[in-house]
Structure formats: structure tokens, C-alpha cells
Amino acid sequence: MTASDAALAGNPLLTPWTTPFGLPPFESIAPEHYRPAFDTALAEQQTQIAAIAESTDAPTFANTIEALERSGRTLKTVGGVFFNLAGSHTNDALQAIEREMAPVLAKHRNSIFMNEALYRRVAALYEKRESLGLSPEQMRVLDRYHTIFVRAGARLGPEEKKRLAAITERLASLGTQFSQNVLADEKSYQLVLDGEADLEGLPSFLREAAAQAAEERGLKGKHVITLSRSSIEPFLQFSKRRDLREQAFKAWAARGDNGNATDNKAIIAETAALRAERAKLLGYETFADFKLADTMAKTPDNVTKLLNDVWKPARARAEQERNDLQAQAQSIGDNIAIEPWDWRYYADQVRMARHNLDEATIKPYFQLDRIIEASFETAQRLFGLSFQELKDFPKYHPDIRAWQVMDADGRHVGTFIGDYFARPSKRSGAWMSAFRSQEKLTGDIRPIIVNVMNFSKGGTGEPSLLSFDDARTLFHEFGHGLHGLLSNVTYPLLAGTAVSTDFVELPSQLYEHWLSQPDILRRYATHYRTGEPIPEELLERLMAARNFNQGFATVEFLASAFVDLELHRRKDLSNLDASAFEAETLQKISMPREIIMRHRTPHFTHVFSGDGYSSGYYSYLWSEVLDADAFTAFEETGDAFNRDMADKLKRFIYSAGNLRDPAEAYTAFRGRLPTADALLAKRGLVLTGADA
């Protein structure tokens, strides 16, 4: 055995794991293990792919499609660990590996899906698919593989393939750099609050969280506001210091847009141009046409129609809200014009006046641990799941928690990891991912699912308190988590959340509805000091205020969706100025001056950290049309936990992965496709009278 062989033999990423439920042995993995593990895994899959492509046997489903599905298991394992940690607990060493591996992995993927001999075998099976005696799931796998090969450029000529390969490798590097730039801007910023004057207006929960953030940054005795949403949004809501609100807001809005080494505008211009070129090589007029062809929406025009249908009532509502805020400011003697850093501050006052409800009243009833329990209780009542917390398991950070998930018969369903708190090593936002996905092709492989959040920690000895929006985010991501945990398919390609972006948000957004069920809130919204349940009259006020500020929320989302779509519909992308394009697009839709996009283009990681939601940020709204209608199906039975509806929901949505076309899957659950009516009603945006 050579020294190199010995090093690989001792690499924890390449040896069998004897950890509970096959969790990665995080404490044993060091940055230097990743590159050798990647190299070994890549070589392994290249050998497997060559054996399939060069086989002299006639192609069959087993020797081609199933063989493809069996290939690359080591690469999935290594990548599953690495990319999860690159997002949730990174460092300089991991970021360097991420930059190094991005084009290597893109090149590897190209070598598979542009392999002419391999594609010929897939195409031969696809052409005679009706005569192969395949099961519906096998037919779906074959169809998806054929689509993936075609969309990856397998049918192009040698020169076009060469250019497309170069484009995808460059895009991988650009996406990695984009996300690292945003993280660098978020990590480097801190608003230090020094003394009572800087803290004016801040409630105790926010002061405690800011003190904790300061202590973590070596500033014990002070208070720090970071660019994590759970830190900056409540600061903008409560701080009486308009100058500090403006300072923090501008830093938040300017992530990736500071004209320095982490500025993302040049990356955006190059990314957009390369995406457009890629689309043209594949026969599409624009990148939006290419991207949407493989979604429920199908075309940019269909997306634009939905956005426009919601924009008119949302903008009208936002203008009413702005007038209310302006009147509130004047009523208390603040002779100002409302600016974006003022919106949350005065909105909180208007909500208090209108509903006798402010965040400082609500938050003490929303403890993180209790809301986690509420999400588990909901899963138990809908799907019969139970959760047993693990006490001794490998951790990549001391804060993470894990649970064994079991079904109603006590059988192991999977493992769920919760990573809830903000830290400098974690990118912003909230997401679900998998360290291992479910499948049955190579045995009964049970999933390991993770939810990652960025909540503020409570002060020493105090619980973490959530806003109602934070609690909704937790339910949202746990909905994604259940989509991964309940997956019940044979083939890895179809497992869990491997569906189109405008369908993948259905299980998550639908799950949010159960947070608002009175019996869930009565049981789990308990005061962190007294243990008393949320008072009935406060619960009524909370429910009555659900659509408060909905014009603002809808407008900031829609603005991001419009800019994303219009950028990728553009045919001429030479000399693109991302900031000018953003401003021009917002002017076209008459964006209210007092509101900015939820995600400005220079830090729009959904769209530019990879292809994930490019041309696809609309997906949240598209899925909301589905989720509003889907929950109505439960309401029509008079029982939010109706057993028959829950069983259909599990069968056709949560456990079905990509077994069916999304429209077919939804119709199987609901009996029909939805309209936008339930969405407008849910958001309280139904136009009446003079608004219509």
C-alpha cells in the first residue's frame, strides 16, 4: 500500500460510517479530506459511466438507466457532506475547496450528459419506451433522463458541445464566487450599539439577542446588529434612532453592491450573458424560455400573467399602507417622508393602533423549542410521524440538534437535523437540504434531512424567541423537510424534493397553514416566563392581523420576481449594468419609492448562486396558488387535519417525489388544477369597489 493509498484508506469520507443512523462522522472530517475524496469519487463514477457507455450489449432499462442510477454513490456522499457544510458552517479552507471544485464538478457532469455513446443508449430506450413493459415509475425515470440529456446538450455537434461545456463550467465558478461575496459582506458588517441612546426603542428580546451577537464577536458588554434577517428586521421595526435604521438598512440593501472586491455586478453581467448564450445553443430564444420549458409554468408569458394579475391589487394595497404610515408619522410629530428604512418602524405602530398588537407582545409566546414541537405535532396528526431526539450523535457545530423520525408503526423513517441559529460561518436565509436522500434501488436507504435557519440566539439562560414570521419560516422549511423525509420512491433521480422549482414550494408553503390553526397555537404558543398559553383575545388579534402589511410583503416579493424574469427574457445582454437594469425594470412596473426588492440583484443568491431559481423566483407565488387551494380542500371538510385528505396529500405530494408530472400530481390530490382566486383571498388582496 502506498502512502497515498494509506491516506485514502484513513479518509473518513471514504470509509464505512458506524455512526447512529449513518450520520456523517463530522468530528473526524477535516478540510484536507475533501479533495482526495472528491478525486476518488469522480474517478469511480467515470469508470462506472465508461462501462455503461462502452458496453457492447444492447441497451436495456437495467444496464443503462438503472446502471446510471447506481453510479456515483460515493460522489453523492462526499458532495452531500461538503456542500451542506459550505452553506451552513464554512471557513476559508472550505471556501477555497468550493471555488476549486465548482468547475471540476461541472466538467464531470458535462462528461456524463454530453457523452454521445451514453446518450444513444438512453435515446434508443426512449424511442421504444412504450414497448419495454416498464412500470409507471420506470417510465418516469426514463423520461426524466432523456430530458436531462437533451437539456444538457447531448444532441449538439462537437463544437457546440465544447462551447456549452465551457459555459457551464464558468457559470459554476461564477455562482460560487457570487455566494461567497454575499457571505463576506454579511460577515464583515456589524452595527455596534454602544449605550442606551443607541438602544432606544429596542425591546428586551432584541437587546438580549444583540448582546449575544456582540459577545460572539468579542464585544462583550455591547450590542451588535448583524445583517441576518432575524437581527436587522426587528431592529428596523423597533429602533427609534432613524439615523441608525438608515445606516443598517443601506448596508443590508448594498450587499454585493459596494464597488469593492466583493461587488457582484460584473458577475451578474457575465452570468446573464453566458446563460443567454447557453439557451441559444440549445435552441431557445432566451434563457427564461429554456428554463421554464421544464416547469409547470412552461412559458415566460404564463409567469408574467400571474405576476401582473397579483401586482395590480398588491400595489394598490401597498399605496394605502404607505398613506397610513405617513399619517402615523405625522400624528406623532415626525415631519418626514416615509423612506424604506422607516416602513417597518411605522408599520408596527399602525398595527398596534389597528389591532392592539406589536411584536414585543407576540414574541414572548413563540419560543423556538415550542414551535419545533408544534411542527412535529402537526406532522404526527397529519402523517402519523413521531420524533425521538438524539442525545449522542456527531455534530458539525455544537448548536445542531437531531431526531430519529418514525412512522405510526414505529418503523424508522429517517433522521432530521435542525440547525437553527445565525452565525458568521453560515450564509443568510433558511433552507432544507439532504445529507442522504431516500431510495430503494440499492436497499432501503433512509434519508438524512437538515433544516438550516438564521434565528437570533436568546441571551444567556434565555430561550430563543421568534416572531410570527420566524415561526412561519420554521414551518415552511419543515414542510420541505417532510417532503424529503416522507419520500417513498425506488429511483434516486425521483426522490424527495427533486421536482420543478414551481412545484417544490407547494409542500413547504402548504405546511405553513397549520401554524395558524388555533388548536396548535393554543397548545404551543406559551409564554416563555410564565408558561401560560397565549390569551384567547391575543390569539384573535393575531389571526385578525394576518394580512396586515400584505401589500408591502407582496410588492417586495413581486419586484424581485419581475426583475429576475425580465433579466432572463432579455435578448441583448451586452454591457449589462445590473443596477441600471434593476432600476429600469422597477420603473416600468411603477415600484413604490418607499419599498425595495426583497432581494436586490447584487445579493440575489436564489438566482445567481447557481441555476436553482434563475427565471424561477416566481415559483413561490406559483406554488402559493397551489397551496392556498390545497388548504382550502382541508377547510372544506371542516377539519384541518382530515385523515382522508392527509392520506391523499401524503400519497400524491409529500411521498411521491417526482413520480408524476406536477400538474398530474396536483390533480390526483385535488381533483382539478387551481385558479389564483384562493391566493388573492389568502393574502387579502381581492379587489373591491374603487380598487378594482
Side-chain angles (χ1 to χ4, degrees):
M1 181 183 285
T2 67
S4 175
D5 291 336
L8 289 176
N11 189 322
L13 290 163
L14 299 174
T15 54
W17 297 342
T18 57
T19 49
F21 307 110
L23 286 164
F26 296 115
E27 289 102 333
S28 303
I29 301 170
E32 57 266 26
H33 291 131
Y34 286 110
R35 186 61 202 252
F38 270 123
D39 289 344
T40 300
L42 289 166
E44 176 186 280
Q45 189 172 29
Q46 285 162 2
T47 300
Q48 294 164 340
I49 294 298
I52 303 168
E54 296 165 13
S55 172
T56 56
D57 295 337
T60 65
F61 187 85
N63 71 19
T64 302
I65 301 302
E66 284 195 352
L68 267 172
E69 283 286 75
R70 293 176 191 275
S71 74
R73 289 186 65 194
T74 304
L75 185 58
K76 285 180 184 175
T77 299
V78 175
V81 176
F82 177 77
F83 286 106
N84 274 298
L85 267 60
S88 62
H89 194 43
T90 194
N91 54 44
D92 291 345
L94 291 191
Q95 290 193 327
I97 298 166
E98 191 178 17
R99 291 191 297 271
E100 186 181 348
M101 289 307 303
V104 172
L105 291 168
K107 184 175 184 178
H108 176 70
R109 189 177 190 279
N110 287 337
S111 74
I112 297 173
F113 293 109
M114 291 185 184
N115 185 313
E116 192 168 338
L118 185 58
Y119 173 64
R120 281 200 302 268
R121 295 179 70 86
V122 173
L125 292 169
Y126 185 74
E127 286 166 12
K128 58 181 181 181
R129 59 193 180 280
E130 299 295 344
S131 63
L132 296 177
L134 301 178
S135 70
E137 182 172 356
Q138 290 173 327
M139 189 73 86
R140 180 69 174 166
V141 174
L142 175 56
D143 177 75
R144 291 309 303 159
Y145 263 114
H146 185 261
T147 298
I148 292 166
F149 271 94
V150 171
R151 288 174 64 81
R155 295 197 293 203
L156 297 179
E159 288 305 310
E160 288 86 357
K161 279 184 180 177
K162 184 178 178 181
R163 177 57 188 156
L164 185 59
I167 288 172
T168 55
E169 289 167 35
R170 178 61 178 158
L171 285 171
S173 294
L174 290 170
T176 298
Q177 191 61 59
F178 185 97
S179 60
Q180 290 189 2
N181 286 348
V182 175
L183 179 60
D185 281 2
E186 292 170 348
K187 186 178 177 181
S188 65
Y189 181 82
Q190 56 186 29
L191 176 65
V192 180
L193 307 177
D194 191 4
E196 190 59 36
D198 287 357
L199 296 167
E200 190 179 4
L202 304 190
S204 59
F205 72 81
L206 183 52
R207 293 183 182 218
E208 289 164 4
Q212 180 72 28
E215 188 169 342
E216 289 170 357
R217 287 158 179 76
L219 296 170
K220 190 169 184 178
K222 291 187 168 51
H223 297 76
V224 162
I225 300 300
T226 72
L227 295 184
S228 167
R229 276 191 185 272
S230 61
S231 175
I232 193 167
E233 285 194 340
F235 178 75
L236 293 170
Q237 188 173 347
F238 292 112
S239 175
K240 292 188 175 183
R241 287 285 300 277
R242 192 175 190 232
D243 58 329
L244 296 182
R245 294 202 310 269
E246 179 179 1
Q247 184 180 326
F249 184 90
K250 286 182 173 177
W252 193 33
R255 289 167 291 156
D257 190 19
N258 289 299
N260 57 8
T262 57
D263 192 284
N264 275 329
K265 292 191 290 295
I267 290 177
I268 293 166
E270 186 178 355
T271 298
L274 289 174
R275 285 174 174 171
E277 185 182 355
R278 174 184 172 194
K280 287 188 175 68
L281 281 170
L282 292 167
Y284 293 87
E285 194 169 8
T286 70
F287 181 77
D289 289 299
F290 162 70
K291 191 68 188 293
L292 294 172
D294 195 33
T295 65
M296 282 189 81
K298 303 301 182 190
T299 70
D301 285 346
N302 288 341
V303 174
T304 300
K305 181 182 184 306
L306 174 63
L307 298 181
N308 283 331
D309 284 350
V310 181
W311 177 254
K312 182 180 178 181
R315 189 180 182 282
R317 175 63 55 82
E319 288 175 343
Q320 293 173 3
E321 291 169 356
R322 177 203 57 208
N323 294 341
D324 292 342
L325 304 190
Q326 193 66 62
Q328 171 62 22
Q330 290 170 347
S331 74
I332 60 174
D334 292 347
N335 189 25
I336 61 161
I338 296 293
E339 297 289 350
W341 48 89
D342 297 317
W343 192 289
R344 290 171 177 81
Y345 179 70
Y346 291 104
D348 193 63
Q349 296 176 25
V350 172
R351 182 170 64 164
M352 186 65 184
R354 190 168 294 170
H355 297 286
N356 192 24
L357 196 69
D358 69 349
E359 206 69 66
T361 305
I362 300 166
K363 263 198 166 184
Y365 291 96
F366 286 85
Q367 302 169 64
L368 172 60
D369 285 357
R370 296 291 287 158
I371 300 305
I372 293 171
E373 291 173 19
S375 70
F376 290 172
E377 162 89 2
T378 300
Q380 191 279 321
R381 292 175 66 179
L382 287 171
F383 306 125
L385 300 180
S386 61
F387 299 81
Q388 180 68 46
E389 185 158 12
L390 305 179
K391 297 302 180 186
D392 185 17
F393 67 97
K395 299 181 178 184
Y396 58 82
H397 188 278
D399 285 343
I400 72 168
R401 299 169 67 183
W403 291 264
Q404 180 190 6
V405 186
M406 291 164 286
D407 68 14
D409 297 320
R411 292 178 299 225
H412 179 67
V413 170
T415 310
F416 175 69
I417 297 172
D419 182 352
Y420 296 106
F421 298 119
R423 54 179 172 266
S425 62
K426 182 190 288 187
R427 67 177 171 87
S428 63
W431 63 93
M432 165 269 183
S433 187
F435 284 97
R436 184 176 68 216
S437 295
Q438 179 271 333
E439 52 135 318
K440 290 184 278 192
L441 183 63
T442 58
D444 186 15
I445 306 301
R446 307 315 305 164
I448 300 173
I449 301 300
V450 59
N451 273 177
V452 185
M453 316 285 177
N454 271 282
F455 300 140
S456 295
K457 270 189 175 180
T460 304
E462 297 289 342
S464 174
L465 301 179
L466 308 182
S467 67
F468 192 67
D469 281 346
D470 287 338
R472 191 157 44 213
T473 296
L474 187 146
F475 263 66
H476 177 102
E477 296 305 334
F478 192 62
H480 281 309
L482 290 171
H483 199 186
L485 285 166
L486 291 170
S487 177
N488 185 26
V489 302
T490 297
Y491 295 96
L493 185 71
L494 305 181
T497 58
V499 298
S500 67
T501 53
D502 53 8
F503 192 69
V504 76
E505 295 300 332
L506 168 60
S508 55
Q509 293 181 181
L510 176 58
Y511 205 70
E512 293 177 32
H513 289 265
W514 279 281
L515 171 63
S516 297
Q517 290 308 295
D519 54 339
I520 291 291
L521 289 173
R522 288 185 187 109
R523 182 168 180 183
Y524 291 101
T526 57
H527 198 282
Y528 78 106
R529 290 199 190 280
T530 67
E532 291 295 313
I534 189 168
E536 205 64 26
E537 53 87 21
L538 179 56
L539 180 60
E540 289 173 8
R541 283 186 275 135
L542 181 62
M543 293 299 99
R546 275 182 298 181
N547 285 327
F548 177 76
N549 212 33
Q550 197 58 240
F552 167 87
T554 308
V555 161
E556 66 163 6
F557 166 81
L558 287 173
S560 294
F562 273 118
V563 170
D564 166 39
L565 185 67
E566 291 308 310
L567 178 63
H568 291 106
R569 291 189 81 171
R570 190 166 173 168
K571 295 173 186 174
D572 179 15
L573 285 156
S574 56
N575 303 314
L576 175 71
D577 181 326
S579 294
F581 178 82
E582 178 182 294
E584 174 190 321
T585 305
L586 296 178
Q587 184 177 9
K588 282 182 184 174
I589 61 173
S590 301
M591 179 74 170
R593 182 188 62 80
E594 302 84 358
I595 305 175
I596 71 165
M597 299 163 63
R598 182 167 179 82
H599 305 285
R600 284 200 57 239
T601 314
H603 54 254
F604 206 167
T605 52
H606 285 77
V607 171
F608 292 106
S609 287
D611 273 358
Y613 282 82
S614 52
S615 302
Y617 192 64
Y618 77 90
S619 298
Y620 292 92
L621 191 69
W622 190 277
S623 291
E624 194 173 348
V625 171
L626 302 175
D627 84 65
D629 180 72
F631 193 71
T632 300
F634 280 88
E635 291 179 320
E636 287 169 355
T637 71
D639 177 9
F641 295 92
N642 180 273
R643 173 55 51 205
D644 290 341
M645 291 305 304
D647 288 346
K648 288 172 67 176
L649 184 65
K650 180 181 177 183
R651 178 183 174 191
F652 295 114
I653 307 295
Y654 280 89
S655 69
N658 201 356
L659 286 174
R660 300 171 184 83
D661 175 83
E664 181 188 336
Y666 188 83
T667 303
F669 161 68
R670 187 70 164 110
R672 57 166 176 74
L673 288 173
T675 67
D677 296 346
L679 161 70
L680 293 173
K682 171 189 167 186
R683 286 192 172 235
L685 297 175
V686 179
L687 289 177
T688 58
D691 297 332

